[in-house]
Amino acid sequence: MNIRMLPLRNLLGRPFRTLALLLIAAVMSASVFGGMAASASLQNGLSSLESRLGADIIVLPDDAKAAVDLKNILLQGTPGYFYMERSVQEGIAAVEGVAQTSSQYYLVSANAECCTVQVQIIGFDEETDFSVKPWLKQAYSGQLGENEIIVGAALSTQTGHSLKLYGVECKVVGKLEATGTGLDTAIYTTDNTVRTLIRAAEEKGIHVLSRQSPDDMLSSVYVKVQDGYDIGEVEAKINLTLDGVQAVRTRSVLTGTADKLAVISGSIRLLIVVVWVLVVVILTASFSVMASVRRREFAVLRTLGFSRRQLVRIVMTESSAICFAGAAAGLLIAWIAVYAFGRQLEIRAGLPYLLPDVLHTVVYALTAAAAVWAAGMLASAYSAYGLSHTDAGNILREGD
Amino acid sequence: MKQRGNLAGLAEAAAAVFLTLGASFMFRACTVHDGTFMVCHWAQNAVVLIGAVLVILSLLRLIIRGQEIRTGLALSISVVSAATILIPGRIVHLCMMETMQCQAVFRPAVIIVSALLAVIAGADGITGLLRFGKKT
């Protein structure tokens, strides 16, 4: 028999023991890899939302529902709408410390042909926009024409295709990068196209929209503060100067989310450490039990001429094989949960969720595999030393 | 050896039943909205139908004794389940929004279960072919 095949034959010869150890290794690798990937996805989602908004302050109608609606639009993609007078924008621009303002108009589609749910339509001013345009440019560098739209990354349509909104054929001229937020399911267009959609809605008997035409109303004003001015002070000035509006710092919109995320990430990190320690303890105990059971087997091998080094190598190879196979199984399970069902996690958590890129994924996978292997080596090292340093003669004389 | 062969057959039957029942109840596509079916509903119907065919094939694979027929059935299960992977989103379109049930749950679940079935049945079929090679 080939000596190199001995560890493999040992493992195959005790399938239930091998399977149990594989399961332990798989649980560890799944928790380490899945935990790191999920935590990174949540962090990526929040960072991407922060940079995506681009504004220091967002001004909304002075109504609690508006703030909740905005959060739902941003985080969960739940369509919402709220309106205030268009003249507000001039008032905000006149406040000391305001560098730039840009308005957005939120409209909710009736069921689009694409989906059974409503879709958020965001009309933005191409001339003044600074929070959407930088992202739109990645997809489309020209000016949006009549009935032309740009879609978020989570709408699986392609540039050049059309979408029917209120019966109007709208041509998709660009698609955005994924952000892992509710903005991924939105449709972006100009106020002119929004007017066309409202007219089409009226023709279909939906008259309520005509009372909130983008000619007189807007939904939110994004504000950039001049360098050297305190954002908090500018926010307070807007709230004091203008009636019927509420200015909120972009960061404060995301504070609750960031807090939630910090708790989840902390829990995940704690879970990874606890699982790692538990696995080391369980594996050490398992290998110790195995060592006492296999004393006679190793004594026989020793009398057959195996060196101590060869015996250590057998134990370590068995341990490595179990760790690597278990780690592979665990990585596959975690990949299915975190990557394949990532969207479902995002929906359930109600938090921005942007999966890490391939390079980071590979790093997390290698880290998880290394953690499992290190745990296996630590656990088996003591047993390997014990087995290779026992007195073969004494053990064989002991009998049963 | 015989027990191992039956184990593969049982695994194939279990995966085929899970695909059929799962696509019908557990990880189904979007539900009816305003009395109309979305396009993903037809993808679900196609998966359930093919799942039912796979259940029959895998039961035949379990019942029939002839090794040659078993191998043929295993290979056909592998090919059909590999083809099932293409149904949601490629052969039959799903809803456009990736946050919807059909995109977020139905599609990945069908792909994973079908891929698993294709691998198990493929390995079973190839093992059968290798056994033939040894016999002849």
Side-chain angles (χ1 to χ4, degrees):
Chain A
M1 184 178 67
N2 188 349
I3 294 169
R4 289 185 178 205
M5 295 303 285
L6 192 59
L8 189 66
R9 284 180 178 272
N10 281 338
L11 293 175
L12 293 176
R14 296 174 180 85
F16 289 107
R17 189 192 74 189
T18 306
L19 202 67
L21 290 172
L22 275 175
L23 200 68
I24 294 167
V27 167
M28 183 181 174
S29 107
S31 66
V32 174
F33 174 62
M36 283 198 296
S39 185
S41 300
L42 291 167
Q43 200 58 55
N44 286 348
L46 187 70
S47 311
S48 127
L49 182 57
E50 265 180 325
S51 55
R52 175 66 181 269
L53 290 174
D56 298 313
I57 296 167
I58 302 173
V59 183
L60 308 165
D62 189 15
D63 160 13
K65 188 180 161 288
V68 173
D69 277 358
L70 180 72
K71 214 167 184 177
N72 288 341
I73 291 169
L74 296 178
L75 298 179
Q76 290 163 11
T78 312
Y81 51 88
F82 40 83
Y83 303 102
M84 56 188 174
E85 295 290 330
R86 186 163 276 278
S87 58
V88 163
Q89 191 175 357
E90 286 170 23
I92 297 166
V95 171
E96 193 189 343
V98 171
Q100 234 177 322
T101 62
S102 182
S103 64
Q104 288 192 354
Y105 181 93
Y106 299 149
L107 183 69
V108 177
S109 79
N111 299 336
E113 60 169 356
C114 62
C115 325
T116 47
V117 293
Q118 294 174 320
V119 181
Q120 181 77 56
I121 300 165
I122 299 178
F124 69 100
D125 183 355
E126 274 197 291
E127 298 301 317
T128 60
D129 181 75
F130 57 84
S131 65
V132 182
K133 227 173 177 179
W135 296 81
L136 294 179
K137 271 185 178 171
Q138 293 176 4
Y140 178 65
S141 55
Q143 294 279 307
L144 285 172
E146 184 68 23
N147 300 346
E148 285 185 344
I149 56 171
I150 289 172
V151 297
L155 282 176
S156 49
T157 183
Q158 288 169 357
T159 308
H161 288 192
S162 287
L163 263 183
K164 242 183 197 166
L165 300 167
Y166 291 114
V168 178
E169 285 275 351
C170 294
K171 191 180 172 194
V172 179
V173 294
K175 200 168 178 177
L176 300 177
E177 295 273 325
T179 62
T181 69
L183 296 172
D184 285 351
T185 55
I187 290 171
Y188 298 83
T189 189
T190 59
D191 285 344
N192 277 340
T193 303
V194 169
R195 285 185 196 98
T196 308
L197 295 178
I198 290 174
R199 275 198 299 277
E202 274 182 65
E203 283 164 18
K204 284 184 172 288
I206 308 169
H207 296 289
V208 68
L209 293 173
S210 57
R211 274 177 260 149
Q212 285 109 14
S213 162
D215 293 325
D216 318 308
M217 311 294 268
L218 48 83
S219 298
S220 64
V221 179
Y222 280 53
V223 177
K224 220 171 203 175
V225 172
Q226 279 178 28
D227 290 341
Y229 279 86
D230 181 70
I231 298 171
E233 280 178 21
V234 177
E235 175 198 0
K237 270 185 204 165
I238 294 171
N239 281 328
L240 281 173
T241 323
L242 298 161
D243 287 333
V245 303
Q246 55 175 323
V248 286
R249 285 181 73 159
T250 310
R251 273 193 174 275
S252 75
V253 176
L254 305 174
T255 304
T257 312
D259 291 346
K260 224 185 204 181
L261 201 142
V263 171
I264 293 174
S265 297
S267 310
I268 290 173
R269 272 195 292 275
L270 184 71
L271 183 81
I272 290 172
V273 174
V274 169
V275 168
W276 197 84
V277 173
L278 266 178
V279 166
V280 172
V281 171
I282 294 170
L283 284 180
T284 308
S286 312
F287 280 115
S288 297
V289 171
M290 263 161 39
S292 61
V293 171
R294 297 174 71 185
R295 281 169 75 220
R296 286 178 66 80
E297 175 191 332
F298 276 74
V300 170
L301 290 176
R302 191 85 178 90
T303 51
L304 284 174
F306 278 67
S307 67
R308 289 184 200 282
R309 187 184 284 258
Q310 278 176 316
L311 295 184
V312 169
R313 196 177 293 158
I314 288 172
V315 176
M316 297 308 240
T317 308
E318 283 180 23
S319 170
S320 295
I322 285 169
C323 288
F324 282 120
L331 292 178
L332 183 69
I333 292 163
W335 181 86
I336 288 172
V338 177
Y339 285 75
F341 290 102
R343 280 279 176 210
Q344 188 63 7
L345 284 179
E346 179 186 340
I347 298 162
R348 295 266 170 174
L351 290 167
Y353 191 89
L354 189 62
L355 289 167
D357 56 24
V358 178
L359 185 71
H360 280 93
T361 304
V362 171
V363 170
Y364 298 149
L366 290 176
T367 309
V372 176
W373 182 75
M377 289 301 100
L378 263 176
S380 57
Y382 177 70
S383 311
Y385 180 82
L387 282 171
S388 59
H389 282 78
T390 45
D391 186 341
N394 272 344
I395 291 169
L396 291 175
R397 272 193 298 274
E398 276 172 12
D400 292 322
Chain B
M1 195 65 91
K2 193 180 171 186
Q3 193 190 9
R4 203 170 285 174
N6 281 339
L7 216 63
L10 280 171
E12 286 158 32
V17 169
F18 184 59
L19 178 68
T20 313
L21 294 180
S24 309
F25 305 107
M26 281 171 63
F27 46 83
R28 56 184 307 167
C30 301
T31 46
V32 178
H33 191 78
D34 291 342
T36 53
F37 289 118
M38 296 306 293
V39 68
C40 60
H41 173 76
W42 311 114
Q44 180 189 313
N45 281 359
V47 170
V48 171
L49 177 68
I50 294 180
V53 172
L54 286 168
V55 170
I56 295 168
L57 288 176
S58 57
L59 287 178
L60 287 173
R61 151 74 184 78
L62 267 178
I63 295 162
I64 291 173
R65 297 238 170 229
Q67 188 60 47
E68 297 89 342
I69 300 172
R70 276 185 166 195
T71 302
L73 283 168
L75 289 173
S76 66
I77 290 169
S78 178
V79 173
V80 173
S81 45
T84 312
I85 293 170
L86 300 174
I87 290 176
R90 291 190 189 271
I91 309 286
V92 185
H93 289 301
L94 301 178
C95 294
M96 279 186 178
M97 210 181 274
E98 286 174 15
T99 49
M100 294 179 72
Q101 168 87 4
C102 60
Q103 291 267 13
V105 179
F106 174 71
R107 188 180 187 185
V110 168
I111 290 173
I112 289 164
V113 178
S114 304
L116 187 73
L117 181 52
V119 169
I120 296 169
D124 185 22
I126 290 167
T127 313
L129 285 176
L130 290 175
R131 269 185 220 152
F132 279 143
K134 278 183 185 171
K135 275 184 189 173
T136 51

